[in-house]
Structure formats: C-alpha cells, structure tokens
Amino acid sequence: MDDLDFDKALIASAFSIAAAKGWTRVTVYAAAKAAELSPDLARVRFPVRGSILLRLGSLADQAVLSVPAEDPTARERLFDLLMRRFDALSPYREGIGALLRALPCDPGSALLLAVSTRRSMGWMLEAAGVSAAGCLGHFKRDGLIAVWTYAVRTFVSDATTDLSATMAALDRALDRAGQVAKLLDGKSSSP
C-alpha cells in the first residue's frame, strides 16, 4: 500500500466513524484500527486529528485541479470547479455532516477548517482565472467562501445521486455573489 492509498483508507475510516458516532469520537488511532492500518504509520502521517481534515482538503483540491476548467466565463468555471470538489467529497458526505454539526463545540477543528477552506478557495479562484492576490483577492476569497459554505449546507443533506440539489444551491449562491460583485463595482444588476 502506497502513501496515497494509506491516506485515503484512513480518511475513509475516520469519516465513517464520524458518520456513525459523531466527529468527537474520531481519533487517528481509532481510524487506523478500524481500517486495519498500522497505528505507528498513522501517527507519522497524521500526527493529530486535524491532519485528517487537511489531507482530505488537499486531496479534494488535487482532484479538482488535475483537470483544467475550460468554461467560457469565470462564473461557469467556478461552478464547474466547486462541483468537482463536491464530487471528490461525496464519499465522505455523512461524516462531513457530522463534522459540521460538531464545529460549534470544537473550536480547534473550526479554525483549522476555516484556514484550510480559505486556502482552497484561493486555489479555486486562481484555477477559474480570477486573481486571489492582494486586498481585492481577499474579498473575492471571502465571497467564494460564503458561496461554498451556503452550498455545503445543502450538500450534506443532498439525497440525490447526481447532487442536483447541491448544484441548484451552488447556482443560486453564485448568482447572489455575482449580484453583490456588480453592486460593489457600481454596475446595475439589471440586464
């Protein structure tokens, strides 16, 4: 088993535990044991539980960034990139729901997830051809975080096999973000 397979197996085990017992019951050791992985190697690759979140985010970003976004507009490219990210996270959806429910009582995981999401959304912007640099880039990233957060709420409860409810939520959020951007640019939101 190579490092990538090891990481994927441990992450799957951790989010399976989260789905069944809640995020607070997840430990790296428990995930390794449940997946019949070496706890000593798990300790090296995932020194703390937060490492699971960081690695999952990294793997999701890699899956998204491995295929260039070629849609004609930045909005369509962002839609495509974010939906690919949801596709990459789909196997862990129930566990992600458990994680999100635990965040109000787990400030460490909440902070780690916020920082990781901020970094990922910067990558999504850049991959869509939108600069995430400078002060304006910070605002764009914040806007995309709001879009992502809105759509994630639907994603964790989306019972459709094709994620159509998530697609609709993401579409609505991107439309709202586009309207806000036009207002901030001083442009009319009417056609």
Side-chain angles (χ1 to χ4, degrees), residues 142-167:
D142 288 344
L144 193 56
I145 290 168
V147 165
W148 176 255
T149 302
Y150 178 83
V152 163
R153 290 184 195 144
T154 301
F155 168 73
V156 296
S157 61
D158 189 346
T160 63
T161 57
D162 62 354
L163 295 179
S164 58
T166 301
M167 281 191 268

mmCIF file of all heavy atoms in Angstrom, residues 142-167:
data_model
loop_
_atom_site.group_PDB
_atom_site.id
_atom_site.type_symbol
_atom_site.label_atom_id
_atom_site.label_comp_id
_atom_site.label_asym_id
_atom_site.label_seq_id
_atom_site.Cartn_x
_atom_site.Cartn_y
_atom_site.Cartn_z
ATOM 1 N N ASP A 142 -13.242 35.707 0.287
ATOM 2 C CA ASP A 142 -14.315 35.719 1.289
ATOM 3 C C ASP A 142 -15.672 35.473 0.638
ATOM 4 O O ASP A 142 -16.509 34.748 1.178
ATOM 5 C CB ASP A 142 -14.343 37.050 2.056
ATOM 6 C CG ASP A 142 -13.176 37.192 3.016
ATOM 7 O OD1 ASP A 142 -12.507 36.185 3.330
ATOM 8 O OD2 ASP A 142 -12.915 38.340 3.448
ATOM 9 N N GLY A 143 -15.880 36.081 -0.523
ATOM 10 C CA GLY A 143 -17.138 35.863 -1.238
ATOM 11 C C GLY A 143 -17.297 34.413 -1.661
ATOM 12 O O GLY A 143 -18.385 33.836 -1.532
ATOM 13 N N LEU A 144 -16.218 33.809 -2.144
ATOM 14 C CA LEU A 144 -16.297 32.411 -2.562
ATOM 15 C C LEU A 144 -16.472 31.482 -1.362
ATOM 16 O O LEU A 144 -17.157 30.467 -1.463
ATOM 17 C CB LEU A 144 -15.073 32.016 -3.397
ATOM 18 C CG LEU A 144 -15.201 30.698 -4.146
ATOM 19 C CD1 LEU A 144 -16.430 30.687 -5.064
ATOM 20 C CD2 LEU A 144 -13.939 30.411 -4.941
ATOM 21 N N ILE A 145 -15.892 31.851 -0.230
ATOM 22 C CA ILE A 145 -16.113 31.070 0.992
ATOM 23 C C ILE A 145 -17.597 31.102 1.359
ATOM 24 O O ILE A 145 -18.171 30.078 1.744
ATOM 25 C CB ILE A 145 -15.236 31.589 2.152
ATOM 26 C CG1 ILE A 145 -13.767 31.260 1.891
ATOM 27 C CG2 ILE A 145 -15.689 31.010 3.497
ATOM 28 C CD1 ILE A 145 -12.797 31.961 2.819
ATOM 29 N N ALA A 146 -18.222 32.261 1.229
ATOM 30 C CA ALA A 146 -19.660 32.363 1.519
ATOM 31 C C ALA A 146 -20.462 31.482 0.564
ATOM 32 O O ALA A 146 -21.397 30.789 0.980
ATOM 33 C CB ALA A 146 -20.112 33.823 1.437
ATOM 34 N N VAL A 147 -20.091 31.494 -0.719
ATOM 35 C CA VAL A 147 -20.766 30.649 -1.708
ATOM 36 C C VAL A 147 -20.600 29.181 -1.325
ATOM 37 O O VAL A 147 -21.567 28.405 -1.310
ATOM 38 C CB VAL A 147 -20.192 30.919 -3.123
ATOM 39 C CG1 VAL A 147 -20.600 29.836 -4.105
ATOM 40 C CG2 VAL A 147 -20.622 32.292 -3.623
ATOM 41 N N TRP A 148 -19.365 28.780 -1.030
ATOM 42 C CA TRP A 148 -19.059 27.394 -0.673
ATOM 43 C C TRP A 148 -19.838 26.975 0.572
ATOM 44 O O TRP A 148 -20.456 25.914 0.611
ATOM 45 C CB TRP A 148 -17.559 27.238 -0.457
ATOM 46 C CG TRP A 148 -17.150 25.885 0.006
ATOM 47 C CD1 TRP A 148 -16.774 25.528 1.273
ATOM 48 C CD2 TRP A 148 -17.084 24.683 -0.776
ATOM 49 N NE1 TRP A 148 -16.480 24.195 1.320
ATOM 50 C CE2 TRP A 148 -16.658 23.657 0.081
ATOM 51 C CE3 TRP A 148 -17.349 24.386 -2.099
ATOM 52 C CZ2 TRP A 148 -16.498 22.335 -0.357
ATOM 53 C CZ3 TRP A 148 -17.182 23.087 -2.537
ATOM 54 C CH2 TRP A 148 -16.757 22.078 -1.666
ATOM 55 N N THR A 149 -19.822 27.818 1.593
ATOM 56 C CA THR A 149 -20.494 27.497 2.852
ATOM 57 C C THR A 149 -21.990 27.309 2.643
ATOM 58 O O THR A 149 -22.594 26.386 3.194
ATOM 59 C CB THR A 149 -20.219 28.602 3.893
ATOM 60 O OG1 THR A 149 -18.803 28.717 4.069
ATOM 61 C CG2 THR A 149 -20.871 28.294 5.228
ATOM 62 N N TYR A 150 -22.584 28.177 1.849
ATOM 63 C CA TYR A 150 -24.013 28.061 1.537
ATOM 64 C C TYR A 150 -24.297 26.725 0.856
ATOM 65 O O TYR A 150 -25.235 26.012 1.219
ATOM 66 C CB TYR A 150 -24.445 29.236 0.654
ATOM 67 C CG TYR A 150 -25.892 29.187 0.247
ATOM 68 C CD1 TYR A 150 -26.888 29.657 1.095
ATOM 69 C CD2 TYR A 150 -26.271 28.676 -0.995
ATOM 70 C CE1 TYR A 150 -28.229 29.613 0.717
ATOM 71 C CE2 TYR A 150 -27.602 28.628 -1.380
ATOM 72 C CZ TYR A 150 -28.568 29.092 -0.521
ATOM 73 O OH TYR A 150 -29.892 29.048 -0.886
ATOM 74 N N ALA A 151 -23.499 26.377 -0.129
ATOM 75 C CA ALA A 151 -23.726 25.140 -0.875
ATOM 76 C C ALA A 151 -23.425 23.900 -0.041
ATOM 77 O O ALA A 151 -24.089 22.864 -0.199
ATOM 78 C CB ALA A 151 -22.900 25.145 -2.162
ATOM 79 N N VAL A 152 -22.454 23.980 0.858
ATOM 80 C CA VAL A 152 -22.118 22.824 1.718
ATOM 81 C C VAL A 152 -23.307 22.430 2.578
ATOM 82 O O VAL A 152 -23.550 21.244 2.812
ATOM 83 C CB VAL A 152 -20.877 23.118 2.587
ATOM 84 C CG1 VAL A 152 -20.751 22.143 3.738
ATOM 85 C CG2 VAL A 152 -19.610 23.074 1.741
ATOM 86 N N ARG A 153 -24.059 23.403 3.038
ATOM 87 C CA ARG A 153 -25.239 23.100 3.866
ATOM 88 C C ARG A 153 -26.220 22.215 3.115
ATOM 89 O O ARG A 153 -26.840 21.331 3.701
ATOM 90 C CB ARG A 153 -25.917 24.392 4.312
ATOM 91 C CG ARG A 153 -25.119 25.167 5.306
ATOM 92 C CD ARG A 153 -25.877 26.379 5.781
ATOM 93 N NE ARG A 153 -24.963 27.281 6.450
ATOM 94 C CZ ARG A 153 -25.031 28.589 6.398
ATOM 95 N NH1 ARG A 153 -26.004 29.166 5.722
ATOM 96 N NH2 ARG A 153 -24.168 29.327 7.021
ATOM 97 N N THR A 154 -26.367 22.450 1.838
ATOM 98 C CA THR A 154 -27.243 21.605 1.028
ATOM 99 C C THR A 154 -26.569 20.270 0.742
ATOM 100 O O THR A 154 -27.205 19.217 0.807
ATOM 101 C CB THR A 154 -27.602 22.317 -0.295
ATOM 102 O OG1 THR A 154 -28.256 23.550 0.021
ATOM 103 C CG2 THR A 154 -28.506 21.457 -1.156
ATOM 104 N N PHE A 155 -25.284 20.309 0.429
ATOM 105 C CA PHE A 155 -24.524 19.112 0.080
ATOM 106 C C PHE A 155 -24.646 18.013 1.135
ATOM 107 O O PHE A 155 -24.858 16.848 0.809
ATOM 108 C CB PHE A 155 -23.056 19.495 -0.129
ATOM 109 C CG PHE A 155 -22.113 18.336 -0.223
ATOM 110 C CD1 PHE A 155 -22.078 17.533 -1.354
ATOM 111 C CD2 PHE A 155 -21.229 18.060 0.807
ATOM 112 C CE1 PHE A 155 -21.183 16.466 -1.461
ATOM 113 C CE2 PHE A 155 -20.336 17.002 0.718
ATOM 114 C CZ PHE A 155 -20.319 16.204 -0.410
ATOM 115 N N VAL A 156 -24.524 18.369 2.414
ATOM 116 C CA VAL A 156 -24.507 17.334 3.460
ATOM 117 C C VAL A 156 -25.853 16.634 3.610
ATOM 118 O O VAL A 156 -25.908 15.524 4.142
ATOM 119 C CB VAL A 156 -24.015 17.873 4.827
ATOM 120 C CG1 VAL A 156 -22.572 18.317 4.737
ATOM 121 C CG2 VAL A 156 -24.904 18.985 5.350
ATOM 122 N N SER A 157 -26.916 17.259 3.122
ATOM 123 C CA SER A 157 -28.231 16.609 3.200
ATOM 124 C C SER A 157 -28.804 16.256 1.831
ATOM 125 O O SER A 157 -29.949 15.816 1.736
ATOM 126 C CB SER A 157 -29.212 17.510 3.959
ATOM 127 O OG SER A 157 -29.369 18.730 3.279
ATOM 128 N N ASP A 158 -28.021 16.422 0.784
ATOM 129 C CA ASP A 158 -28.481 16.165 -0.586
ATOM 130 C C ASP A 158 -28.620 14.660 -0.792
ATOM 131 O O ASP A 158 -27.638 13.922 -0.810
ATOM 132 C CB ASP A 158 -27.475 16.750 -1.577
ATOM 133 C CG ASP A 158 -27.958 16.722 -3.013
ATOM 134 O OD1 ASP A 158 -28.948 16.015 -3.308
ATOM 135 O OD2 ASP A 158 -27.339 17.398 -3.848
ATOM 136 N N ALA A 159 -29.843 14.212 -0.962
ATOM 137 C CA ALA A 159 -30.104 12.775 -1.128
ATOM 138 C C ALA A 159 -30.101 12.343 -2.589
ATOM 139 O O ALA A 159 -30.263 11.159 -2.882
ATOM 140 C CB ALA A 159 -31.443 12.422 -0.481
ATOM 141 N N THR A 160 -29.905 13.286 -3.501
ATOM 142 C CA THR A 160 -29.917 12.939 -4.919
ATOM 143 C C THR A 160 -28.595 12.283 -5.313
ATOM 144 O O THR A 160 -27.548 12.619 -4.768
ATOM 145 C CB THR A 160 -30.144 14.187 -5.794
ATOM 146 O OG1 THR A 160 -29.054 15.097 -5.618
ATOM 147 C CG2 THR A 160 -31.451 14.875 -5.427
ATOM 148 N N THR A 161 -28.653 11.374 -6.239
ATOM 149 C CA THR A 161 -27.432 10.692 -6.681
ATOM 150 C C THR A 161 -26.569 11.577 -7.559
ATOM 151 O O THR A 161 -25.352 11.405 -7.612
ATOM 152 C CB THR A 161 -27.768 9.392 -7.443
ATOM 153 O OG1 THR A 161 -28.623 9.714 -8.538
ATOM 154 C CG2 THR A 161 -28.432 8.375 -6.530
ATOM 155 N N ASP A 162 -27.183 12.540 -8.233
ATOM 156 C CA ASP A 162 -26.426 13.420 -9.128
ATOM 157 C C ASP A 162 -26.097 14.779 -8.496
ATOM 158 O O ASP A 162 -25.623 15.685 -9.179
ATOM 159 C CB ASP A 162 -27.188 13.625 -10.431
ATOM 160 C CG ASP A 162 -28.536 14.314 -10.232
ATOM 161 O OD1 ASP A 162 -28.952 14.540 -9.067
ATOM 162 O OD2 ASP A 162 -29.185 14.627 -11.246
ATOM 163 N N LEU A 163 -26.356 14.914 -7.212
ATOM 164 C CA LEU A 163 -26.112 16.158 -6.462
ATOM 165 C C LEU A 163 -26.864 17.348 -7.066
ATOM 166 O O LEU A 163 -26.399 18.484 -7.015
ATOM 167 C CB LEU A 163 -24.611 16.469 -6.379
ATOM 168 C CG LEU A 163 -23.751 15.484 -5.591
ATOM 169 C CD1 LEU A 163 -22.286 15.915 -5.619
ATOM 170 C CD2 LEU A 163 -24.227 15.349 -4.152
ATOM 171 N N SER A 164 -28.049 17.090 -7.609
ATOM 172 C CA SER A 164 -28.801 18.172 -8.248
ATOM 173 C C SER A 164 -29.220 19.257 -7.253
ATOM 174 O O SER A 164 -29.240 20.445 -7.612
ATOM 175 C CB SER A 164 -30.016 17.624 -8.996
ATOM 176 O OG SER A 164 -30.869 16.911 -8.138
ATOM 177 N N ALA A 165 -29.530 18.884 -6.029
ATOM 178 C CA ALA A 165 -29.881 19.898 -5.032
ATOM 179 C C ALA A 165 -28.670 20.765 -4.707
ATOM 180 O O ALA A 165 -28.785 21.985 -4.549
ATOM 181 C CB ALA A 165 -30.423 19.232 -3.768
ATOM 182 N N THR A 166 -27.507 20.148 -4.635
ATOM 183 C CA THR A 166 -26.271 20.895 -4.381
ATOM 184 C C THR A 166 -25.972 21.818 -5.557
ATOM 185 O O THR A 166 -25.582 22.972 -5.364
ATOM 186 C CB THR A 166 -25.092 19.925 -4.141
ATOM 187 O OG1 THR A 166 -25.409 19.098 -3.019
ATOM 188 C CG2 THR A 166 -23.802 20.671 -3.869
ATOM 189 N N MET A 167 -26.150 21.316 -6.773
ATOM 190 C CA MET A 167 -25.926 22.141 -7.966
ATOM 191 C C MET A 167 -26.838 23.372 -7.944
ATOM 192 O O MET A 167 -26.395 24.483 -8.246
ATOM 193 C CB MET A 167 -26.182 21.341 -9.236
ATOM 194 C CG MET A 167 -25.058 20.437 -9.615
ATOM 195 S SD MET A 167 -25.268 19.761 -11.276
ATOM 196 C CE MET A 167 -26.138 18.254 -10.901
#
